[in-house]
Amino acid sequence: MCGRFAVTLPDDAMAALFDALAANDLPDVPNYNVCPTNQISVVTSDEGTRRLRPMRWGFLPHWYKTPNGGPLLINARSETIAEKPAFKAACRERRCLITCTGFYEWTKTPEGQRLPWYIYRADGAPMVFAGVWQDWRARDDSGDEFTTTAIVTCAANDPMSKIHHRMPVVLEPDDWGKWLGEEGKGAATLMRPAADDVLDYFRVDPAVNSNRAAGAQLIEPLDPSEI
């Protein structure tokens, strides 16, 4: 699963990373505490032209009458994405890339205290998730319209399973074109856990337990004396 993440890469660097044309209304970065329903920067491909675009994190199926018309769909399970009514069309036709510096996951003590962990690429490179997206328009008089997205998740690899049983699908650069549909079929083969040596993690301050927390200190390793 992925319920919170951090983005520190500037817009121009993100566009260069993907060789994408950047929109002029991208969300502000850095953001060390990206939460569901926030706007995030997402890469799509239109006939081979990649575009870096803002989207609402929280997928809205077309039948939702309002943004709160059903469960908040921030993740899509790889095992069922091709069959679930909410995601099956997007899985075939509207795949995207979502980049971050790292993401957060939580474990619990026997007493129920939530302990946050920060997960990042061991090689220091930006992390890129598989995603799907959907345009949505309100079915009432509000006139609301959103372009929305969800992160694809899979079973955790062995290191990640010590923290959580799920993890985002992490794509390597050679896989980006296939996931975006630029290289024909085969995207389904990419929905697998990252190799065991791709990610690393450390404990961070419980301040990030609040979705209002902000600042670079959120991704700093917790002092061993405080663990």
Side-chain angles (χ1 to χ4, degrees), residues 69-82:
L72 183 60
L73 305 177
I74 61 172
N75 295 154
R77 294 175 66 93
S78 60
E79 298 88 344
T80 58
I81 193 172

Side-chain angles (χ1 to χ4, degrees), residues 24-225:
N24 58 12
D25 56 348
L26 297 171
D28 292 338
V29 289
N31 184 345
Y32 295 93
N33 194 5
V34 179
C35 302
T37 75
N38 286 173
Q39 290 285 107
I40 62 175
S41 296
V42 174
V43 176
T44 61
S45 183
D46 180 12
E47 296 183 353
T49 299
R50 294 181 180 179
R51 302 185 184 279
L52 186 64
R53 310 166 49 190
M55 294 190 187
R56 175 190 186 269
W57 182 25
F59 191 97
L60 296 178
H62 66 84
W63 61 82
Y64 279 22
K65 294 182 179 180
T66 68
N68 300 319
L72 183 60
L73 305 177
I74 61 172
N75 295 154
R77 294 175 66 93
S78 60
E79 298 88 344
T80 58
I81 193 172
E83 290 81 37
K84 287 285 186 180
F87 298 120
K88 63 181 183 180
C91 181
R92 292 193 305 268
E93 304 164 8
R94 294 183 300 278
R95 298 189 297 271
C96 60
L97 306 176
I98 299 168
T99 189
C100 71
T101 309
F103 67 98
Y104 302 98
E105 195 52 82
W106 282 261
T107 55
K108 283 188 177 181
T109 67
E111 297 75 29
Q113 180 185 5
R114 298 179 74 228
L115 305 177
W117 298 78
Y118 181 67
I119 299 99
Y120 59 98
R121 284 192 64 107
D123 61 6
M127 195 180 308
V128 178
F129 300 146
V132 291
W133 65 278
Q134 169 80 47
D135 284 328
W136 178 87
R137 178 178 296 178
R139 297 170 65 185
D140 57 22
D141 295 331
S142 69
D144 288 341
E145 294 184 34
F146 301 107
T147 301
T148 68
T149 188
I151 295 168
V152 181
T153 66
C154 60
N157 61 19
D158 185 62
M160 275 297 301
S161 67
K162 297 174 175 60
I163 300 177
H164 199 277
H165 66 285
R166 304 288 297 176
M167 66 181 293
V169 171
V170 177
L171 300 175
E172 298 298 328
D174 287 347
D175 300 329
W176 297 346
K178 182 175 288 187
W179 183 255
L180 289 174
E182 298 168 347
E183 300 173 8
K185 298 181 179 180
T189 64
L190 304 177
M191 292 190 288
R192 60 182 185 268
D196 288 351
D197 61 350
V198 170
L199 305 182
D200 204 349
Y201 51 80
F202 50 73
R203 277 278 310 282
V204 290
D205 194 286
V208 78
N209 291 356
S210 169
N211 59 13
R212 296 182 179 181
Q217 74 280 0
L218 296 179
I219 64 171
E220 292 296 324
L222 199 63
D223 189 306
S225 66

